[in-house]
Coordinates of all heavy atoms in Angstrom, one line a residue:
M185 N 0.8 -1.2 0.0 CA 0.0 0.0 0.0 C 0.9 1.3 0.0 O 1.9 1.3 0.7 CB -0.9 0.0 1.2 CG -1.8 1.2 1.4 SD -2.8 1.3 2.8 CE -3.7 -0.2 2.6
H186 N 0.5 2.2 -0.8 CA 1.3 3.4 -0.9 C 0.8 4.5 0.2 O -0.4 4.6 0.4 CB 1.1 4.1 -2.3 CG 1.7 3.3 -3.4 ND1 3.1 3.0 -3.4 CD2 1.2 2.6 -4.4 CE1 3.4 2.3 -4.4 NE2 2.2 1.9 -5.1
S187 N 1.7 5.1 0.7 CA 1.3 6.3 1.6 C 1.7 7.6 0.8 O 2.3 7.6 -0.2 CB 2.1 6.2 2.9 OG 3.5 6.4 2.7
L188 N 1.2 8.7 1.5 CA 1.5 10.0 0.8 C 3.1 10.2 0.7 O 3.5 10.8 -0.3 CB 1.0 11.2 1.7 CG -0.5 11.1 1.7 CD1 -1.0 12.2 2.8 CD2 -1.2 11.4 0.4
N189 N 3.8 9.9 1.6 CA 5.3 10.0 1.5 C 5.9 9.3 0.4 O 6.9 9.7 -0.3 CB 5.9 9.4 2.8 CG 6.2 10.5 3.8 OD1 6.0 11.7 3.6 ND2 6.4 10.0 5.0
D190 N 5.3 8.2 -0.1 CA 5.8 7.5 -1.2 C 5.5 8.2 -2.5 O 6.1 7.9 -3.5 CB 5.0 6.1 -1.4 CG 5.4 5.2 -0.3 OD1 6.5 5.3 0.4 OD2 4.5 4.3 0.1
L191 N 4.6 9.1 -2.6 CA 4.1 9.7 -3.8 C 4.8 11.2 -4.0 O 4.7 11.7 -5.2 CB 2.5 9.7 -3.8 CG 1.9 8.4 -3.8 CD1 0.4 8.5 -4.0 CD2 2.5 7.4 -5.0
V192 N 5.0 11.8 -2.9 CA 5.3 13.2 -3.0 C 6.4 13.6 -4.0 O 6.3 14.5 -4.7 CB 5.5 13.8 -1.6 CG1 6.9 13.3 -1.1 CG2 5.5 15.2 -1.7
E193 N 7.4 12.7 -4.1 CA 8.5 13.1 -5.0 C 8.2 12.9 -6.5 O 8.5 13.8 -7.3 CB 9.8 12.1 -4.6 CG 10.6 12.5 -3.4 CD 11.9 13.2 -3.9 OE1 12.5 12.5 -4.6 OE2 12.2 14.3 -3.4
S194 N 7.7 11.8 -6.8 CA 7.6 11.4 -8.2 C 6.2 11.3 -8.8 O 6.0 10.9 -9.9 CB 8.4 10.1 -8.5 OG 9.7 10.3 -8.0
F195 N 5.2 11.6 -8.2 CA 3.8 11.4 -8.5 C 3.0 12.6 -8.4 O 3.2 13.5 -7.5 CB 3.2 10.2 -7.7 CG 3.9 8.8 -8.2 CD1 4.9 8.5 -7.3 CD2 3.2 8.1 -9.0 CE1 5.5 7.3 -7.5 CE2 3.9 6.8 -9.2 CZ 4.9 6.4 -8.5
H196 N 2.0 12.7 -9.2 CA 0.9 13.6 -9.0 C -0.4 12.8 -8.7 O -0.6 11.9 -9.3 CB 0.6 14.6 -10.3 CG 1.8 15.7 -10.5 ND1 1.8 16.4 -11.7 CD2 2.9 16.0 -9.7 CE1 2.9 17.2 -11.6 NE2 3.4 17.0 -10.4
L197 N -1.2 13.5 -7.9 CA -2.5 12.9 -7.6 C -3.6 13.7 -8.2 O -3.7 14.9 -7.9 CB -2.7 12.8 -6.1 CG -2.2 11.6 -5.4 CD1 -2.7 11.7 -3.9 CD2 -2.8 10.3 -6.0
Y198 N -4.6 13.1 -8.7 CA -5.7 13.8 -9.2 C -7.0 13.0 -8.7 O -7.1 11.9 -8.6 CB -5.9 13.8 -10.8 CG -4.8 14.5 -11.4 CD1 -3.5 13.9 -11.8 CD2 -5.1 15.8 -11.8 CE1 -2.5 14.6 -12.3 CE2 -3.9 16.6 -12.5 CZ -2.8 15.9 -12.7 OH -1.8 16.6 -13.3
A199 N -8.0 13.9 -8.3 CA -9.4 13.4 -8.0 C -10.3 13.5 -9.1 O -10.3 14.6 -9.7 CB -9.9 14.2 -6.8
E200 N -10.8 12.4 -9.5 CA -11.8 12.4 -10.6 C -13.1 12.0 -10.3 O -13.3 11.0 -9.7 CB -11.2 11.6 -11.8 CG -10.0 12.2 -12.3 CD -9.6 11.4 -13.7 OE1 -10.1 10.1 -13.9 OE2 -8.9 11.9 -14.5
C201 N -14.2 12.8 -10.6 CA -15.5 12.6 -10.2 C -16.1 11.5 -11.4 O -16.0 11.9 -12.5 CB -16.4 13.7 -10.1 SG -18.0 13.4 -9.8
E202 N -16.6 10.4 -10.9 CA -17.1 9.4 -11.9 C -18.3 9.9 -12.5 O -18.8 9.5 -13.6 CB -17.4 8.1 -11.2 CG -16.0 7.5 -10.7 CD -16.3 6.2 -9.8 OE1 -17.5 5.9 -9.5 OE2 -15.2 5.7 -9.4
R203 N -19.2 10.7 -11.9 CA -20.3 11.2 -12.4 C -20.2 12.4 -13.5 O -20.8 12.3 -14.5 CB -21.4 11.6 -11.2 CG -22.7 12.1 -11.8 CD -23.5 12.7 -10.7 NE -24.1 11.8 -9.8 CZ -25.0 12.0 -8.9 NH1 -25.3 13.2 -8.6 NH2 -25.6 11.0 -8.2
C204 N -19.5 13.4 -13.0 CA -19.4 14.7 -13.9 C -18.1 14.7 -14.5 O -17.7 15.8 -15.2 CB -19.8 15.9 -13.1 SG -18.5 16.4 -11.9
Q205 N -17.1 13.9 -14.3 CA -15.8 13.8 -15.0 C -14.9 15.0 -14.5 O -13.9 15.3 -15.2 CB -16.0 13.8 -16.6 CG -16.9 12.8 -17.1 CD -16.3 11.4 -16.7 OE1 -15.2 11.1 -17.1 NE2 -17.1 10.6 -16.3
R206 N -15.3 15.6 -13.4 CA -14.5 16.7 -13.0 C -13.1 16.2 -12.4 O -13.1 15.2 -11.8 CB -15.2 17.3 -11.8 CG -14.8 18.8 -11.4 CD -15.8 19.4 -10.6 NE -15.3 20.7 -10.1 CZ -14.6 20.8 -8.9 NH1 -14.2 19.7 -8.3 NH2 -14.1 22.0 -8.6
S207 N -12.0 16.9 -12.8 CA -10.7 16.4 -12.3 C -10.0 17.5 -11.7 O -10.0 18.7 -12.2 CB -10.0 15.9 -13.6 OG -8.7 15.5 -13.2
V208 N -9.5 17.2 -10.5 CA -8.8 18.3 -9.8 C -7.5 17.6 -9.3 O -7.4 16.6 -8.7 CB -9.6 18.7 -8.4 CG1 -8.9 19.7 -7.6 CG2 -11.0 19.1 -8.9
Q209 N -6.4 18.5 -9.5 CA -5.1 18.0 -8.9 C -5.0 18.2 -7.3 O -5.3 19.3 -6.9 CB -4.0 18.7 -9.6 CG -2.6 18.0 -9.2 CD -1.4 18.7 -9.9 OE1 -1.5 19.5 -10.7 NE2 -0.3 18.3 -9.5
L210 N -4.7 17.2 -6.7 CA -4.5 17.3 -5.2 C -3.1 17.8 -4.9 O -2.1 17.4 -5.6 CB -4.8 15.9 -4.6 CG -6.1 15.4 -4.9 CD1 -6.2 14.0 -4.4 CD2 -7.3 16.3 -4.3
D211 N -3.0 18.5 -3.9 CA -1.7 19.0 -3.4 C -1.1 18.0 -2.4 O -1.6 18.1 -1.2 CB -1.8 20.5 -2.8 CG -0.4 21.1 -2.6 OD1 0.5 20.4 -2.2 OD2 -0.3 22.3 -2.7
I212 N -0.3 17.1 -2.8 CA 0.2 16.1 -1.8 C 0.9 16.7 -0.6 O 0.8 16.2 0.5 CB 1.2 15.1 -2.5 CG1 0.4 14.5 -3.8 CG2 1.7 14.1 -1.7 CD1 1.3 13.6 -4.6
E213 N 1.7 17.8 -0.8 CA 2.4 18.3 0.3 C 1.5 18.9 1.4 O 1.6 18.8 2.5 CB 3.3 19.5 -0.1 CG 4.6 18.9 -0.8 CD 5.5 19.9 -1.3 OE1 5.5 21.1 -0.9 OE2 6.4 19.6 -2.2
K214 N 0.3 19.5 0.9 CA -0.7 20.0 1.8 C -1.4 18.8 2.5 O -1.8 18.9 3.7 CB -1.8 20.8 1.1 CG -1.3 22.2 1.0 CD -2.4 23.2 0.3 CE -1.9 24.4 0.0 NZ -2.8 25.3 -0.9
L215 N -1.6 17.7 1.7 CA -2.3 16.5 2.4 C -1.4 16.0 3.5 O -1.9 15.5 4.5 CB -2.5 15.5 1.3 CG -3.7 15.7 0.3 CD1 -3.6 14.6 -0.8 CD2 -5.0 15.7 1.0
I216 N -0.1 16.0 3.2 CA 0.9 15.5 4.2 C 0.9 16.3 5.4 O 0.8 15.8 6.7 CB 2.3 15.4 3.7 CG1 2.3 14.2 2.6 CG2 3.3 15.2 4.8 CD1 3.7 14.0 1.9
V217 N 0.8 17.7 5.3 CA 0.7 18.6 6.5 C -0.5 18.2 7.2 O -0.5 18.2 8.5 CB 0.7 19.9 6.0 CG1 0.3 20.9 7.1 CG2 2.1 20.4 5.4
R218 N -1.6 18.0 6.5 CA -2.9 17.8 7.3 C -3.1 16.4 7.8 O -3.6 16.2 8.8 CB -4.1 18.1 6.2 CG -5.4 18.8 6.8 CD -6.3 19.3 5.8 NE -6.8 18.2 5.0 CZ -7.4 18.3 3.8 NH1 -7.3 19.6 3.3 NH2 -7.7 17.3 3.0
L219 N -2.7 15.4 7.0 CA -3.1 14.0 7.3 C -1.8 13.2 7.9 O -1.9 12.1 8.6 CB -3.6 13.3 6.2 CG -4.8 14.0 5.4 CD1 -5.1 13.3 4.3 CD2 -6.0 13.8 6.5
G220 N -0.6 13.6 7.5 CA 0.6 13.0 7.9 C 1.2 12.1 6.7 O 0.4 11.7 5.9
G221 N 2.5 12.0 6.6 CA 3.1 11.4 5.5 C 2.8 9.9 5.4 O 3.0 9.3 4.3
D222 N 2.4 9.2 6.6 CA 2.1 7.8 6.6 C 0.6 7.6 6.1 O 0.2 6.3 6.0 CB 2.3 7.2 7.9 CG 3.8 7.2 8.3 OD1 4.6 7.2 7.3 OD2 4.1 7.3 9.5
F223 N -0.2 8.6 5.8 CA -1.5 8.3 5.5 C -1.7 7.5 4.1 O -1.0 7.9 3.2 CB -2.2 9.7 5.5 CG -3.7 9.6 5.5 CD1 -4.3 9.5 6.6 CD2 -4.5 9.7 4.3 CE1 -5.7 9.4 6.8 CE2 -5.8 9.4 4.4 CZ -6.5 9.5 5.6
P224 N -2.5 6.5 4.1 CA -2.6 5.7 2.9 C -3.4 6.4 1.8 O -4.3 7.1 2.1 CB -3.3 4.4 3.4 CG -4.1 4.9 4.6 CD -3.3 6.0 5.2
I225 N -3.0 6.2 0.6 CA -3.7 6.9 -0.6 C -5.2 6.4 -0.6 O -6.0 7.1 -1.0 CB -2.9 6.5 -1.9 CG1 -1.5 7.0 -2.0 CG2 -3.8 6.9 -3.1 CD1 -1.4 8.3 -1.7
T226 N -5.4 5.0 -0.2 CA -6.8 4.6 -0.2 C -7.6 5.4 0.8 O -8.8 5.7 0.6 CB -6.8 3.1 0.1 OG1 -6.0 3.0 1.3 CG2 -6.2 2.3 -1.0
G227 N -7.0 5.9 1.8 CA -7.8 6.7 2.8 C -8.1 8.1 2.2 O -9.0 8.7 2.6
V228 N -7.1 8.5 1.2 CA -7.4 9.8 0.7 C -8.8 9.8 -0.2 O -9.6 10.7 -0.1 CB -6.3 10.3 -0.3 CG1 -6.6 11.5 -1.0 CG2 -5.0 10.6 0.6
R229 N -8.9 8.6 -0.9 CA -10.1 8.5 -1.7 C -11.3 8.6 -0.8 O -12.4 9.3 -1.3 CB -10.0 7.2 -2.5 CG -11.3 7.0 -3.3 CD -11.1 5.9 -4.4 NE -10.2 4.8 -3.9 CZ -9.6 3.9 -4.7 NH1 -9.7 4.1 -5.9 NH2 -8.9 3.0 -4.2
D230 N -11.2 8.0 0.2 CA -12.5 8.0 1.1 C -12.9 9.4 1.7 O -14.0 9.7 2.1 CB -12.3 7.2 2.4 CG -12.1 5.6 2.0 OD1 -12.6 5.3 0.9 OD2 -11.6 5.0 2.7
R231 N -11.9 10.3 1.7 CA -12.2 11.7 2.1 C -12.7 12.6 1.1 O -13.1 13.7 1.4 CB -10.9 12.2 2.7 CG -10.5 11.4 3.9 CD -9.1 12.1 4.4 NE -9.3 13.3 4.9 CZ -9.4 13.7 6.2 NH1 -9.6 12.8 7.0 NH2 -9.6 14.9 6.5
L232 N -12.6 12.2 -0.2 CA -12.9 13.1 -1.2 C -14.4 13.2 -1.6 O -15.2 12.4 -1.4 CB -12.2 12.7 -2.6 CG -10.7 12.6 -2.6 CD1 -10.2 11.9 -3.8 CD2 -10.1 14.0 -2.4
R233 N -14.8 14.5 -1.9 CA -16.1 14.7 -2.2 C -16.2 15.7 -3.3 O -15.5 16.7 -3.4 CB -17.0 15.3 -1.1 CG -18.4 15.5 -1.2 CD -19.0 16.2 -0.1 NE -19.0 15.4 1.1 CZ -20.1 14.6 1.4 NH1 -21.1 14.6 0.6 NH2 -20.1 14.0 2.5
C234 N -16.9 15.4 -4.5 CA -16.9 16.3 -5.6 C -17.7 17.5 -5.2 O -18.9 17.5 -4.7 CB -17.7 15.6 -6.7 SG -17.8 16.7 -8.2
T235 N -17.0 18.7 -5.4 CA -17.7 20.0 -5.0 C -18.9 20.4 -6.0 O -19.6 21.3 -5.5 CB -16.7 21.2 -4.9 OG1 -15.9 21.2 -6.3 CG2 -15.7 20.9 -3.9
S236 N -19.0 19.8 -7.1 CA -20.1 20.1 -7.9 C -21.2 19.1 -7.8 O -22.4 19.6 -7.7 CB -19.8 20.3 -9.3 OG -19.3 19.2 -9.9
C237 N -21.0 17.9 -7.6 CA -22.1 16.9 -7.4 C -22.5 16.9 -5.9 O -23.5 16.5 -5.5 CB -21.7 15.5 -7.8 SG -21.2 15.5 -9.5
N238 N -21.4 17.1 -5.0 CA -21.5 17.0 -3.6 C -21.8 15.6 -3.2 O -22.6 15.3 -2.2 CB -22.6 17.9 -3.0 CG -22.4 18.2 -1.5 OD1 -21.3 18.2 -1.1 ND2 -23.5 18.4 -0.9
I239 N -21.3 14.6 -3.9 CA -21.4 13.2 -3.4 C -19.9 12.6 -3.5 O -19.0 13.1 -4.1 CB -22.2 12.4 -4.5 CG1 -21.7 12.6 -5.9 CG2 -23.7 12.9 -4.3 CD1 -22.3 11.5 -6.8
R240 N -19.8 11.5 -2.8 CA -18.5 10.9 -2.7 C -18.4 9.8 -3.9 O -18.5 8.7 -3.7 CB -18.4 10.1 -1.3 CG -18.4 11.0 -0.2 CD -18.0 10.2 1.1 NE -18.1 11.1 2.3 CZ -17.1 11.8 2.8 NH1 -15.9 11.6 2.1 NH2 -17.2 12.6 3.8
S241 N -18.1 10.3 -5.0 CA -17.9 9.5 -6.2 C -16.7 9.7 -6.9 O -16.5 9.3 -8.0 CB -19.1 10.0 -7.1 OG -18.8 11.2 -7.6
Q242 N -15.7 10.2 -6.1 CA -14.4 10.6 -6.6 C -13.4 9.3 -6.8 O -13.4 8.5 -5.8 CB -13.8 11.7 -6.0 CG -14.6 12.9 -5.9 CD -14.0 14.1 -6.6 OE1 -14.2 14.2 -7.8 NE2 -13.1 14.7 -5.8
D243 N -12.7 9.2 -7.8 CA -11.8 8.3 -7.9 C -10.4 8.9 -7.9 O -10.3 10.1 -8.1 CB -12.0 7.5 -9.3 CG -11.2 6.2 -9.3 OD1 -10.6 5.7 -8.3 OD2 -11.1 5.6 -10.4
V244 N -9.3 8.3 -7.4 CA -8.0 8.9 -7.3 C -7.2 8.3 -8.4 O -7.0 7.1 -8.6 CB -7.4 8.6 -6.0 CG1 -6.0 9.1 -6.0 CG2 -8.1 9.3 -4.9
R245 N -6.7 9.4 -9.3 CA -5.8 8.9 -10.3 C -4.4 9.2 -9.9 O -4.1 10.3 -9.5 CB -6.2 9.6 -11.7 CG -5.4 9.1 -12.8 CD -6.0 9.5 -14.1 NE -6.4 10.8 -14.3 CZ -5.7 11.8 -15.0 NH1 -4.6 11.4 -15.6 NH2 -6.1 13.0 -15.0
I246 N -3.4 8.2 -10.0 CA -2.1 8.5 -9.7 C -1.2 8.6 -11.0 O -1.2 7.6 -11.7 CB -1.5 7.3 -8.8 CG1 -2.5 7.3 -7.4 CG2 -0.1 7.6 -8.4 CD1 -2.2 6.1 -6.6
V247 N -0.6 9.7 -11.1 CA 0.2 9.8 -12.4 C 1.7 9.9 -12.0 O 2.2 10.8 -11.2 CB -0.2 11.2 -13.1 CG1 0.7 11.5 -14.3 CG2 -1.7 11.1 -13.4
F248 N 2.4 9.0 -12.6 CA 3.9 9.0 -12.4 C 4.5 10.1 -13.3 O 4.4 10.1 -14.4 CB 4.4 7.6 -12.8 CG 5.9 7.6 -12.5 CD1 6.4 7.6 -11.2 CD2 6.9 7.5 -13.5 CE1 7.9 7.5 -10.9 CE2 8.2 7.4 -13.3 CZ 8.7 7.4 -12.1
V249 N 5.2 11.1 -12.6 CA 5.9 12.1 -13.4 C 7.4 12.0 -13.3 O 8.1 12.8 -13.9 CB 5.4 13.5 -12.8 CG1 3.9 13.7 -13.3 CG2 5.6 13.7 -11.4
G250 N 7.9 11.2 -12.4 CA 9.4 10.9 -12.3 C 9.8 11.9 -11.3 O 9.2 12.8 -10.8
P251 N 11.0 11.7 -10.7 CA 11.7 12.6 -9.9 C 11.9 14.0 -10.4 O 12.1 14.1 -11.7 CB 13.0 11.8 -9.4 CG 13.2 11.0 -10.6 CD 12.0 10.6 -11.2
P252 N 12.0 15.0 -9.5 CA 12.3 16.3 -10.1 C 13.6 16.4 -11.0 O 14.5 15.8 -10.6 CB 12.6 17.1 -8.8 CG 11.9 16.4 -7.7 CD 12.0 14.9 -8.1
G253 N 13.4 17.0 -12.1 CA 14.5 17.2 -13.0 C 14.6 16.0 -14.1 O 15.4 16.0 -15.0
K254 N 13.7 14.9 -13.9 CA 13.8 13.7 -14.7 C 12.3 13.4 -15.0 O 12.0 12.2 -14.6 CB 14.6 12.7 -14.1 CG 15.0 11.6 -15.1 CD 15.8 10.6 -14.4 CE 16.2 9.4 -15.3 NZ 16.7 8.2 -14.6
R255 N 11.5 14.2 -15.5 CA 10.1 14.0 -15.6 C 9.8 13.0 -16.7 O 10.4 13.1 -17.8 CB 9.3 15.2 -15.8 CG 9.3 16.2 -14.7 CD 8.7 15.6 -13.4 NE 8.6 16.7 -12.4 CZ 8.3 16.4 -11.1 NH1 8.4 15.1 -10.7 NH2 8.1 17.4 -10.3
V256 N 8.9 12.1 -16.5 CA 8.5 11.2 -17.6 C 6.9 11.2 -17.6 O 6.3 11.7 -16.7 CB 9.0 9.7 -17.4 CG1 10.4 9.7 -17.4 CG2 8.3 9.2 -16.1
I257 N 6.3 10.7 -18.6 CA 4.8 10.6 -18.6 C 4.4 9.1 -18.7 O 4.7 8.5 -19.6 CB 4.3 11.3 -19.9 CG1 4.7 12.8 -19.8 CG2 2.8 11.2 -19.9 CD1 4.3 13.6 -21.1
F258 N 3.7 8.8 -17.5 CA 3.2 7.4 -17.5 C 2.2 7.5 -16.5 O 2.4 8.1 -15.3 CB 4.4 6.5 -17.0 CG 3.8 5.0 -16.7 CD1 3.4 4.2 -17.7 CD2 3.8 4.7 -15.4 CE1 3.0 3.0 -17.4 CE2 3.3 3.3 -15.0 CZ 2.8 2.6 -16.1
Q259 N 1.1 6.8 -16.7 CA 0.0 6.9 -15.6 C -0.8 5.6 -15.7 O -0.8 4.8 -16.5 CB -1.0 8.0 -15.9 CG -1.5 8.1 -17.3 CD -2.5 9.3 -17.5 OE1 -3.6 9.2 -17.4 NE2 -1.8 10.4 -17.7
Y260 N -1.4 5.4 -14.4 CA -2.2 4.2 -14.3 C -3.3 4.5 -13.4 O -3.2 5.4 -12.6 CB -1.3 3.0 -13.9 CG -0.7 3.1 -12.6 CD1 -1.2 2.7 -11.4 CD2 0.5 3.9 -12.4 CE1 -0.8 2.8 -10.1 CE2 1.1 3.9 -11.2 CZ 0.5 3.5 -10.1 OH 1.0 3.6 -8.7
R261 N -4.3 3.7 -13.3 CA -5.4 3.8 -12.4 C -5.2 2.7 -11.2 O -4.7 1.6 -11.4 CB -6.7 3.5 -13.1 CG -7.2 4.7 -13.8 CD -8.5 4.4 -14.4 NE -9.1 5.5 -15.1 CZ -9.8 6.4 -14.6 NH1 -10.0 6.5 -13.2 NH2 -10.2 7.5 -15.2
R262 N -5.8 3.2 -10.1 CA -5.8 2.1 -9.1 C -7.2 2.2 -8.4 O -7.9 3.2 -8.5 CB -4.7 2.2 -8.0 CG -4.8 3.5 -7.4 CD -3.7 3.7 -6.2 NE -4.1 2.9 -5.2 CZ -3.4 2.0 -4.5 NH1 -2.2 1.7 -4.8 NH2 -3.9 1.4 -3.5
Ligands
ZN216 ZN1 -18.9 15.4 -9.8

């Protein structure tokens, strides 16, 4: 299982609403300040709520961007 600390260097996190397709990039560093670096990514999904639908229908998309200075483009869903 991934925690926020595992992702902060080389990944971007997006919340995507399954109903309205709204996509918002999450600020991992702010999440760490608020939730702690050991907080699991699966727990982040449980906390998300779409601000336009106001329902918990959000999926979390994790995008690998590579370490700073060595960005790549690769993404997958979980
Ligand atoms: Zn929505």
Side-chain angles (χ1 to χ4, degrees):
M185 182 187 296
H186 293 294
S187 66
L188 293 173
N189 270 341
D190 294 331
L191 299 182
V192 68
E193 278 254 311
S194 304
F195 294 84
H196 287 170
L197 266 190
Y198 294 86
E200 290 190 338
C201 179
E202 290 170 2
R203 180 188 281 183
C204 69
Q205 308 296 310
R206 196 167 175 275
S207 179
V208 181
Q209 184 175 358
L210 304 174
D211 188 328
I212 300 177
E213 291 183 11
K214 278 186 185 167
L215 289 172
I216 288 175
V217 168
R218 210 169 67 201
L219 304 170
D222 294 331
F223 198 82
I225 298 306
T226 49
V228 173
R229 175 162 43 200
D230 292 340
R231 299 175 63 94
L232 296 172
R233 183 188 292 271
C234 177
T235 51
S236 60
C237 302
N238 203 31
I239 57 170
R240 292 182 185 276
S241 64
Q242 301 244 91
D243 200 8
V244 172
R245 185 159 56 99
I246 300 172
V247 180
F248 180 69
V249 293
K254 200 183 171 188
R255 297 300 193 195
V256 299
I257 298 173
F258 171 72
Q259 54 183 264
Y260 63 96
R261 276 182 183 277
R262 55 175 289 133

